[in-house]
Amino acid sequence: MTTDLASRAQADYDALVAQGMKLDLTRGKPSAAQLDLSAALLGLPGETYRAADGTDTRNYQGLQGLTELREIFAPALQVPVEQLIAFGNSSLELMHDTLVHALLSPLPGAERRWVDEEKVVFLAPVPGYDRHFAVCDRLGIELVAVPMTPEGPDMDVVEQLVAADPSIKGIWCVPKYANPDGVVYSDEVTRRLATMPTAAPDFRIMWDNAYAVHHLTEEAIEVADVLALAAEAGHSDRPFVFGSTSKITLAGAGVAFLGASETNVKWWLALTAKRTIGPDKVNHLRHALFFGDTAGVAAHMAKHRALIAPKFAALERILTENFADTPGVSWSTPKGGYFVTLTVPEGTATAIVKLAKEAGIALTPAGATHPGGEDPQDAIIRLAPTFPPLDEVEKAMAGVAVCVKLALATA
Amino acid sequence: MTTDLASRAQADYDALVAQGMKLDLTRGKPSAAQLDLSAALLGLPGETYRAADGTDTRNYQGLQGLTELREIFAPALQVPVEQLIAFGNSSLELMHDTLVHALLSPLPGAERRWVDEEKVVFLAPVPGYDRHFAVCDRLGIELVAVPMTPEGPDMDVVEQLVAADPSIKGIWCVPKYANPDGVVYSDEVTRRLATMPTAAPDFRIMWDNAYAVHHLTEEAIEVADVLALAAEAGHSDRPFVFGSTSKITLAGAGVAFLGASETNVKWWLALTAKRTIGPDKVNHLRHALFFGDTAGVAAHMAKHRALIAPKFAALERILTENFADTPGVSWSTPKGGYFVTLTVPEGTATAIVKLAKEAGIALTPAGATHPGGEDPQDAIIRLAPTFPPLDEVEKAMAGVAVCVKLALATA
């Protein structure tokens, strides 16, 4: 790196700082314009409160959630309607609570409660979702990182670990448009996850299908049906499937789903029956009326795509313009989901995030994509372009490019 | 009991069975007419989605819940606004989750997590609320029954137990219009609960103020401020206060509240932040707009009272007509809440519930008001008159009277 380049990079950065920006690419939040797509929800259900089967949604009961809403989302989540639960406003809490149940009551197939195990370990494909890792930290579940490949987790590593160690009780998976690298699990990876021998009899796949219908291209990518594959392999209780409308309707006021084998669902509902009389069925009805049917969800997602695909395209354009020929800098080009992963030369990610922060551009902390917040390569930056308006995304990303260049020039 | 009386009782019962009734006095559910009082909620928030402070309620965040809704309910729940959390649709799940947090992370003041204790015991004033007991059963918390008095739990018994045994970590309390006997805790009982020495440093009062504004008479009864009394006594972290709008607005789609010391609230929110990004703030806004202010809640509750007080009056009338002079038969005359407790001669409650069932009248199982579902006296029957229309309440209660008479005649 010549001094010329370094001083130009410094000058550009100084100019950036001088702009006094205040921009944020940290979290996968829908923008106000996306939320406006669901404006009709705010007046629903209006005059009606009866479900299709006559249930008065206003009163207690109905632990599994409204049938017509489960029918609408069953195909996208690849879960039979009778094995799908519609619940509260957060799939994260369904994941958390499922692990709490497993800690405090034996899972189907388990020899004992997980709190009575010497230790409980989950596999964390990295880069991955920081909130998954935080749930485990909070519950005393240890995380072991396994590498991601362009097809999903490195299954050679996964298979070896789970076959050998009965304390490994689960794996986190975001099978489609994974957070943060946009990876779509290949059918072969899903098959291997569903069929692999595990030392733990109570091994579980936490199948967080958060972006099941969140396509960024014409292509509506499908992943393999993990519940069906697991059942065929004699491991029907292995997967817990999660999803939500948080990034479909309203991020704070949507509906979350849990799907699993009949046995798992029965177990989960029996424990949950001690916790609550039932979820908010009026919100279920509100959503069922809003969508009408499964096709209604797809039509709605096309509107989201029209709003956010240009933001992802802006990232792609700015990154290509600046780093097409830069060794060590690469990025994901996701076909769906909410994130772009920017890979920078080893040891520079933290510095770049810090430079950006000082220039008024908030980025997710480097390392957040790894267990314990520690990326051993210090090379992964997660970019979330959906929340700010397009012009701000462009400004922020151009600013990030300036920061990357300065970090590389002074590394 | 003469044979004449017994055969008349049998004839009356046979006539009752012949009617083929299908009536239900089991659960404290609001009636459809009560739910209709909140019809406007179904179209709210309508065009608006901004909270008073500008928050976009549709998006993520806001773990403590909407300020304006907390302001409306803070006075009734006797919790400072900044120490009150507005959350999901169920106070039962707030209670459950609070105990889960205590099991898996040390409470403020605790020496260790409750799962690491040899045993954890809660005191259960009896008769009490079956769902409280079921939460403990599910979580492996043992229950020790303590007797209720007309002023609240028998504090001589409670004080002796908690002073002696550090495994006693808590007590369930429904301080106002208690489920099922309608008892209102005297100020002295509340003071003793708040100030008593406990062997456990992490002792908690589960103060389920479920019926804080649910008056059945002109008298808006207040209980003592347990948070303030505990703080004055140097036990500020002792109470967890719970409440909800389940029996104010919509039973399945209301808002639940948790209040506690600053330290407890901070602890609870920090753990809950790992579980969810936040509660459904649109539902908070919906409720805040619906009520307007604290006076709006009281005005709304007056409408409930107009609908349900006649049902309680019908029970009182039918019980008085039939059993004013019957030894061993007595009943509560609650000034609020959702239940009447019918006390029958020892050893007859189960038989009466069975007779009622065979005549098509569903009653809460005898014993449900006691830990383990076992009332050692077999003498307590909980009656819940709110859900059926008034004429059905009258028919069902007249039927129950027939069953009681037959049971007494053949006992």
Side-chain angles (χ1 to χ4, degrees):
Chain A
M1 195 69 69
T2 70
T3 315
D4 261 15
L5 269 180
S7 51
R8 187 169 356 134
Q10 185 66 50
D12 287 350
Y13 180 73
D14 293 343
L16 179 71
V17 172
Q19 287 180 48
M21 299 207 289
K22 196 169 160 24
L23 300 170
D24 192 325
L25 296 177
T26 53
R27 300 243 50 119
K29 286 170 69 172
S31 65
Q34 287 178 269
L35 297 168
D36 287 343
L37 297 174
S38 300
L41 264 185
L42 299 177
L44 287 172
E47 300 290 306
T48 181
Y49 52 79
R50 293 263 176 217
D53 65 359
T55 298
D56 185 339
T57 60
R58 304 169 302 176
N59 221 323
Y60 289 119
Q61 251 98 50
L63 192 60
Q64 194 169 349
L66 223 60
T67 307
E68 52 259 57
L69 185 65
R70 294 189 284 115
E71 283 169 349
I72 291 172
F73 279 90
L77 294 170
Q78 300 168 297
V79 178
V81 175
E82 61 277 10
Q83 290 166 233
L84 189 63
I85 296 164
F87 219 71
N89 75 324
S90 161
S91 57
L92 187 69
E93 71 184 23
L94 293 182
M95 298 174 218
H96 174 280
D97 292 356
T98 299
L99 298 184
V100 164
H101 289 330
L103 284 161
L104 298 177
S105 292
L107 272 166
E111 285 157 354
R112 59 188 73 83
R113 310 185 308 163
W114 285 359
V115 286
D116 297 326
E117 297 280 355
E118 207 157 309
K119 66 174 178 170
V120 175
V121 180
F122 265 55
L123 300 183
V126 292
Y129 179 33
D130 53 353
R131 291 192 191 271
H132 288 164
F133 306 155
V135 165
C136 282
D137 284 345
R138 180 266 170 284
L139 296 175
I141 296 172
E142 291 178 30
L143 290 166
V144 167
V146 296
M148 281 290 280
T149 78
E151 313 258 283
D154 185 327
M155 287 308 300
D156 292 341
V157 176
V158 170
E159 284 169 348
Q160 200 177 344
L161 286 167
V162 301
D165 185 350
S167 74
I168 301 179
K169 297 292 191 189
I171 184 169
W172 288 106
C173 296
V174 183
K176 196 189 287 190
Y177 312 136
N179 177 352
D181 51 15
V183 162
V184 177
Y185 286 23
S186 70
D187 291 356
E188 178 61 9
V189 162
T190 302
R191 192 194 59 73
R192 286 172 74 177
L193 283 165
T195 60
M196 64 190 179
T198 64
D202 49 352
F203 183 88
R204 290 298 188 275
I205 300 171
M206 301 292 276
W207 193 256
D208 182 5
N209 204 350
Y211 309 105
V213 293
H214 305 58
H215 315 296
L216 283 169
T217 74
E218 292 285 338
E219 195 185 351
I221 295 178
E222 269 311 332
V223 292
D225 180 341
V226 71
L227 271 177
L229 288 170
E232 280 164 31
H235 303 306
S236 57
D237 296 338
R238 184 175 290 181
F240 277 113
V241 175
F242 301 94
S244 84
T245 72
S246 296
K247 294 183 179 83
I248 299 176
T249 57
L250 304 179
V255 179
F257 300 92
L258 183 159
S261 70
E262 276 179 51
T263 307
N264 277 337
V265 165
K266 202 174 150 189
W267 173 84
W268 197 93
L269 289 175
L271 293 172
T272 302
K274 308 300 181 189
R275 183 178 171 267
T276 176
I277 310 180
D280 182 344
K281 296 182 302 301
V282 173
N283 206 32
H284 293 182
L285 179 62
R286 192 175 282 129
H287 277 74
L289 293 170
F290 179 73
F291 290 119
D293 54 26
T294 297
V297 178
H300 184 73
M301 293 313 293
K303 298 180 198 164
H304 277 286
R305 186 184 139 208
L307 290 171
I308 67 175
K311 298 180 182 181
F312 284 84
L315 255 60
E316 173 74 23
R317 179 174 48 74
I318 292 165
L319 286 164
T320 305
E321 283 168 5
N322 286 279
F323 304 111
D325 303 317
T326 309
V329 177
S330 62
W331 54 92
S332 62
T333 307
K335 293 185 168 180
Y338 263 59
F339 302 100
V340 169
T341 296
L342 174 62
T343 305
V344 290
E346 204 169 315
T348 64
T350 302
I352 291 167
V353 171
K354 185 158 176 278
L355 286 170
K357 187 180 180 185
E358 285 160 7
I361 304 166
L363 299 178
T364 307
T369 51
H370 288 61
E374 283 295 328
D375 169 8
Q377 269 77 49
D378 190 27
I380 303 285
I381 297 173
R382 186 183 82 165
L383 303 170
T386 56
F387 185 69
L390 179 57
D391 63 321
E392 290 189 13
V393 170
E394 287 170 338
K395 266 191 243 173
M397 199 57 218
V400 170
V402 169
C403 298
V404 172
K405 285 183 185 175
L406 179 58
L408 298 196
T410 55
Chain B
M1 195 69 69
T2 69
T3 315
D4 261 14
L5 269 180
S7 51
R8 187 171 356 134
Q10 185 66 52
D12 287 350
Y13 181 72
D14 293 344
L16 178 71
V17 173
Q19 287 179 49
M21 299 208 289
K22 197 168 160 23
L23 300 170
D24 192 325
L25 295 178
T26 54
R27 300 245 49 121
K29 286 169 69 171
S31 66
Q34 287 178 269
L35 297 167
D36 288 344
L37 297 174
S38 299
L41 264 185
L42 300 177
L44 288 172
E47 301 290 308
T48 182
Y49 51 79
R50 294 261 174 220
D53 65 0
T55 298
D56 186 338
T57 59
R58 304 169 301 175
N59 221 323
Y60 289 119
Q61 251 96 53
L63 192 61
Q64 196 170 346
L66 223 61
T67 307
E68 51 260 57
L69 185 65
R70 293 189 285 115
E71 284 169 349
I72 291 172
F73 279 90
L77 294 171
Q78 300 168 299
V79 179
V81 176
E82 61 277 13
Q83 290 167 232
L84 189 62
I85 296 163
F87 219 71
N89 75 323
S90 161
S91 57
L92 187 69
E93 71 185 23
L94 293 181
M95 298 175 218
H96 173 280
D97 292 356
T98 298
L99 298 184
V100 165
H101 289 329
L103 284 161
L104 298 177
S105 292
L107 272 166
E111 286 157 355
R112 58 187 76 84
R113 311 185 305 164
W114 285 359
V115 286
D116 297 326
E117 297 280 356
E118 207 157 312
K119 65 174 180 171
V120 175
V121 179
F122 265 56
L123 300 184
V126 292
Y129 179 33
D130 53 353
R131 290 192 192 272
H132 288 164
F133 306 156
V135 165
C136 282
D137 284 344
R138 179 267 171 281
L139 297 174
I141 296 172
E142 291 178 32
L143 290 166
V144 168
V146 295
M148 281 291 280
T149 77
E151 311 258 285
D154 184 328
M155 287 308 299
D156 292 341
V157 175
V158 169
E159 284 170 348
Q160 199 176 345
L161 287 167
V162 299
D165 184 350
S167 74
I168 300 179
K169 297 292 190 187
I171 184 169
W172 288 106
C173 296
V174 182
K176 196 189 287 190
Y177 312 136
N179 177 351
D181 51 15
V183 162
V184 176
Y185 286 24
S186 70
D187 291 355
E188 178 62 8
V189 162
T190 302
R191 192 194 60 73
R192 287 172 74 177
L193 283 165
T195 60
M196 65 189 177
T198 64
D202 50 351
F203 183 88
R204 290 297 187 275
I205 300 170
M206 301 291 278
W207 193 255
D208 182 5
N209 204 350
Y211 309 105
V213 293
H214 305 59
H215 315 295
L216 283 168
T217 74
E218 292 285 337
E219 194 184 350
I221 296 178
E222 269 313 330
V223 291
D225 181 340
V226 71
L227 271 175
L229 287 170
E232 280 165 28
H235 303 306
S236 58
D237 296 337
R238 183 175 291 180
F240 278 113
V241 176
F242 301 94
S244 84
T245 72
S246 295
K247 294 183 178 86
I248 298 176
T249 57
L250 304 179
V255 180
F257 300 92
L258 183 159
S261 70
E262 276 179 50
T263 306
N264 277 337
V265 165
K266 202 174 150 191
W267 173 84
W268 198 92
L269 289 175
L271 293 172
T272 302
K274 308 300 182 187
R275 182 179 170 266
T276 176
I277 309 179
D280 182 344
K281 297 183 301 300
V282 174
N283 205 33
H284 294 183
L285 179 61
R286 191 175 282 130
H287 277 75
L289 293 170
F290 178 72
F291 289 119
D293 54 26
T294 297
V297 178
H300 185 74
M301 292 314 293
K303 297 180 199 165
H304 279 285
R305 184 184 141 209
L307 290 171
I308 67 176
K311 298 178 181 180
F312 283 85
L315 256 60
E316 174 75 23
R317 179 174 46 75
I318 293 165
L319 286 164
T320 305
E321 282 168 6
N322 285 279
F323 304 112
D325 303 318
T326 308
V329 178
S330 61
W331 55 92
S332 61
T333 307
K335 293 186 168 179
Y338 264 60
F339 303 101
V340 169
T341 296
L342 174 62
T343 305
V344 291
E346 204 168 317
T348 64
T350 301
I352 291 166
V353 172
K354 186 157 177 277
L355 286 170
K357 187 180 180 185
E358 285 161 6
I361 304 166
L363 299 179
T364 306
T369 52
H370 288 62
E374 283 294 329
D375 169 8
Q377 268 77 50
D378 190 26
I380 303 286
I381 297 173
R382 186 184 81 165
L383 303 170
T386 56
F387 185 68
L390 179 58
D391 63 323
E392 289 189 12
V393 170
E394 288 170 336
K395 266 192 240 172
M397 199 56 220
V400 171
V402 168
C403 298
V404 172
K405 285 185 185 173
L406 179 59
L408 298 196
T410 56

